[in-house]
Amino acid sequence: MGWQRAAAASRAETPAVLALSGVITLGAVLLPAAPATAGPHPYAPPPVNSCGETGFDPLYRKAPDGYTPPVNPTIAVPVPVPQILQVPMYGPKADNTRIVADPLPEDPCANPCPDIRDTPPKTTPPNTPGGGSVALPQISIKPEPEIIPVPVPGGEPPEPQPAPEAAVQVAAPGPVAAPVGAPGLESVRVVGQLTGPGSANRTDMRWSVDGTDLGLMWETKPGEVAVVFGDTFGKGWQPGGAGTDQQDWRSNVIGYSTDTDLSDGLTLDTFAQDSRCHAAEILSSRKIGNYEVTTIPTSGFALDDRQYLTYMSVKRWSKIPGMWWTNHGGIAWSDDNGSTWTKSQWAQWDNLFGLGRFQVATMVPHGDHVYMFGTPNGRIGVIGLARVPKDQVLNKTAYQYWIDGVWQPAATAHEFFATPVVSGTASELSIRYDTASGRWQMVYLDTLRHQIVLRTAAEPQGAWSEPVALLDTDDYPTAYGGFIHPWSTGNELYFAVSTWNAYNVFLMQATLR
C-alpha cells in the first residue's frame, strides 16, 4: 500500500536468487531518484473487494495519523559466496500436464479448493501504526550464494526442429510518415486490482496466483483475450517484491478473459492449470543463477489458430538499477490456444556480448507483415524495428530490419544497425494498431522521465509523436509495465500496470482527447 512503502523497505530482503525476479523488476525498485512533483495523496484505507478481503493501493499516500514507520535495527551486509554448480547441457522437458478445470463456485466468495488453500479472513488489517524507541543499528553479515555454473553433458535433449529454408529478401523503402498530433490526456484512474489477495478475481484462492506482474494481453480469438503474467508465486508469498523458490515459483502463467465491459475491472475466467486451483507454468526455465534464472514473456499475438509468444531468457539480474542480462530473446508458439507452448530453436536472437538489440521484443501483426519492436536487455536501451511476412514468423532469414528508412534484408544487414524509432530509452513496450483512429499506439516505461508514456504514429517506423505521460512514478511508486488491452478504443485506453511493492497487477484506464 502506498503509505506503507517505508515500512515495506524495512522488511528483510528475500533470497538473492529471486529477490529481483519478475520481468524487469530491478529498475522498478530502483528508478532514478527525482523530487516528487505532486507529493503524497491523502490517506485512505486499503481497498476491500466484495468478499471483504483487503487488497493493495498502488498510489503513494500519506500515512494515517499516529503512524511511525518501523525501524530495522539490523544492517545486513551481503557477502557473495562462490558456489560451483554442474549444470546438464539440456534441462528437463517442459511439464505439459494440463487438466480441464472445474467451474468456479456460484458463490464468488466461496473457496474453490478448501483442501488446498485455507479460506482467508474476511478482512486483513494493514500494518498497525505505532512508534518505538530509536535503537542503534547492528551489522550482520549475510552470505549470498553466487552460482558459478559449469555446463556438463547430460539432460534430455529436445526433439530437433527442421531448419526453415533460407528466405530471399530484397531491400524495400520504409519512409517515415508525417507526424501525427499527440493525444491529450483528460484523466487516468485505477480501475481495480487484477491479481493477488484482495482482488476481485481472487487469483490467490482460485489459481494459486498470490504475487505476480506484467499482464500482457492479446486477442486469441473473437471474444477472448489471453493475459500472460511473469514470475508468479503462490502459497506463502508475502508483499514486498518477488518471492522465493520455496513459494510455489512459476516463471510465467496464462489466464483468459471474455470480459467486454472494462469500466468496472477485468474479469479473469480461468487459467491454464496443471492441477486443481493451480496455474501452470507455460514456458519452462532452468531457474539457475548466472545460467538461466527465468523465462519472461514480453508480448503475444495470434495468426489464424496459432498463438505466438515472444520471451526473454534471463541469465542473471544485476545489482545495477534497471539492468539485467539475457541469453537470448525468442519466439514460442502454441496450437492449443495457449495451454502448452513450444520454443522455436531457430527464431532466437542471441545476446552477443550483451549488445543484442531485440532481447525484449514486442510483435504486432498488421497487413501482410508482423512488426517486431525490440530493446536490449535492461531498461536503458533504444527501440529497434524489424518486420517479417506473416507466414515466415519463425524464419529469422525472412526478417528485414529498418535501417535509415529502408527495410534491409537479414542477409545483408544486422540487427545491431537497426535505426532507433524514437529518441531516448524505453522498456516494457506495449504496441498496437488502433483501427478506430488509424494510428499506432506505443506505451512504455521511460525511466528518465519517471513516467509510463504514450506515443502515437501513422506508421510503425514513425514519425512517433512526443510522449504523453499516462502516470508518474512519483504518484505510483515502483510502477512498471503498461500493457494495453486489445479491446481499448480510440479514446479509452485500458492498460495493465505492475507495482513492485505490491508485486501485483492493476488495470488502469486513460481517457484521451
Side-chain angles (χ1 to χ4, degrees):
M1 296 151 200
W3 63 269
Q4 292 175 331
R5 66 175 181 174
S10 69
R11 70 168 57 247
E13 296 181 3
T14 53
V17 173
L18 293 178
L20 301 177
S21 283
V23 67
I24 323 176
T25 48
L26 179 54
V29 183
L30 300 172
L31 290 174
T37 55
H41 293 254
Y43 169 75
V48 177
N49 67 10
S50 60
C51 300
E53 299 162 351
T54 303
F56 302 102
D57 184 348
L59 274 170
Y60 174 34
R61 295 190 180 278
K62 292 181 179 179
D65 294 338
Y67 174 78
T68 301
V71 176
N72 189 342
T74 302
I75 299 176
V77 179
V79 176
V81 178
Q83 180 178 334
I84 298 176
L85 180 66
Q86 291 189 343
V87 180
M89 182 178 301
Y90 301 107
K93 293 183 178 179
D95 183 359
N96 286 332
T97 302
R98 297 293 184 270
I99 67 166
V100 177
D102 295 331
L104 294 173
E106 291 186 9
D107 179 0
C109 299
N111 186 347
C113 295
D115 55 319
I116 297 176
R117 295 294 297 267
D118 296 330
T119 301
K122 286 296 181 182
T123 57
T124 303
N127 288 354
T128 303
S133 59
V134 178
L136 294 177
Q138 298 178 348
I139 298 177
S140 68
I141 302 300
K142 179 184 177 183
E144 289 188 351
E146 185 69 21
I147 302 297
I148 302 176
V150 179
V152 297
E156 303 177 68
E159 183 177 345
Q161 299 170 6
E165 294 184 7
V168 178
Q169 297 286 344
V170 296
V176 172
V180 298
L185 178 66
E186 288 189 359
S187 63
V188 65
R189 69 183 180 101
V190 180
V191 181
Q193 182 181 328
L194 184 58
T195 62
S199 65
N201 289 304
R202 304 184 74 226
T203 61
D204 53 332
M205 303 306 298
R206 294 172 176 173
W207 302 293
S208 297
V209 176
D210 294 56
T212 192
D213 67 350
L214 299 190
L216 54 95
M217 295 172 271
W218 75 94
E219 187 176 71
T220 56
K221 56 188 177 183
E224 182 185 79
V225 168
V227 189
V228 173
F229 302 95
D231 280 313
T232 297
F233 303 88
K235 189 175 182 179
W237 172 87
Q238 293 294 323
T244 73
D245 54 0
Q246 303 300 313
Q247 294 170 348
D248 192 14
W249 176 28
R250 288 143 287 168
S251 286
N252 39 73
V253 295
I254 185 171
Y256 300 90
S257 174
T258 55
D259 191 352
T260 57
D261 182 7
L262 304 179
S263 63
D264 59 353
L266 175 64
T267 300
L268 296 172
D269 302 325
T270 190
F271 276 70
Q273 299 175 54
D274 52 12
S275 61
R276 289 177 55 245
C277 295
H278 191 266
E281 179 179 84
I282 58 170
L283 286 182
S284 63
S285 67
R286 301 297 297 274
K287 299 180 176 62
I288 299 173
N290 295 321
Y291 192 78
E292 184 184 59
V293 177
T294 190
T295 301
I296 302 296
T298 59
S299 77
F301 62 98
L303 292 176
D304 298 323
D305 293 331
R306 172 167 283 190
Q307 312 297 319
Y308 292 91
L309 197 61
T310 60
Y311 69 90
M312 61 176 176
S313 168
V314 179
K315 184 175 184 178
R316 62 186 176 95
W317 304 107
S318 172
K319 295 185 182 298
I320 301 173
M323 288 300 298
W324 64 92
W325 281 264
T326 54
N327 296 301
H328 60 263
I331 302 176
W333 79 87
S334 170
D335 290 330
D336 56 11
N337 202 45
S339 180
T340 61
W341 295 81
T342 302
K343 297 175 186 175
S344 171
Q345 298 169 3
W346 302 98
Q348 293 185 358
W349 284 257
D350 293 330
N351 193 20
L352 299 174
F353 307 109
L355 301 175
R357 293 286 305 282
F358 292 86
Q359 296 303 292
V360 189
T362 296
M363 298 186 73
V364 185
H366 182 66
D368 295 330
H369 292 86
V370 177
Y371 292 87
M372 180 172 70
F373 301 78
T375 60
N377 51 203
R379 276 199 163 124
I380 57 174
V382 296
I383 304 172
L385 177 62
R387 72 177 188 180
V388 64
K390 283 185 173 180
D391 59 352
Q392 295 284 305
V393 170
L394 301 178
N395 186 352
K396 275 187 69 177
T397 66
Y399 281 70
Q400 295 173 303
Y401 297 94
W402 190 68
I403 302 173
D404 295 331
V406 177
W407 294 107
Q408 296 283 7
T412 59
H414 202 283
E415 62 171 278
F416 288 166
F417 301 109
T419 302
V421 297
V422 300
S423 60
T425 61
S427 64
E428 289 120 43
L429 300 175
S430 179
I431 301 169
R432 75 171 190 135
Y433 179 76
D434 178 42
T435 56
S437 63
R439 294 183 179 184
W440 289 76
Q441 295 176 321
M442 174 193 295
V443 173
Y444 62 89
L445 174 65
D446 187 327
T447 57
L448 297 181
R449 293 175 181 266
H450 299 256
Q451 295 171 341
I452 292 178
V453 302
L454 165 69
R455 290 181 186 255
T456 56
E459 295 290 342
Q461 62 268 28
W464 289 89
S465 69
E466 289 299 308
V468 174
L470 296 178
L471 62 84
D472 195 298
T473 55
D474 289 328
D475 293 318
Y476 297 86
T478 70
Y480 58 106
F483 297 98
I484 305 172
H485 192 290
W487 295 344
S488 298
T489 64
N491 295 327
E492 299 294 335
L493 188 71
Y494 288 91
F495 57 102
V497 166
S498 304
T499 65
W500 175 259
N501 52 4
Y503 198 66
N504 267 291
V505 183
F506 301 83
L507 182 68
M508 309 288 295
Q509 178 193 24
T511 301
L512 307 174
R513 290 192 299 273

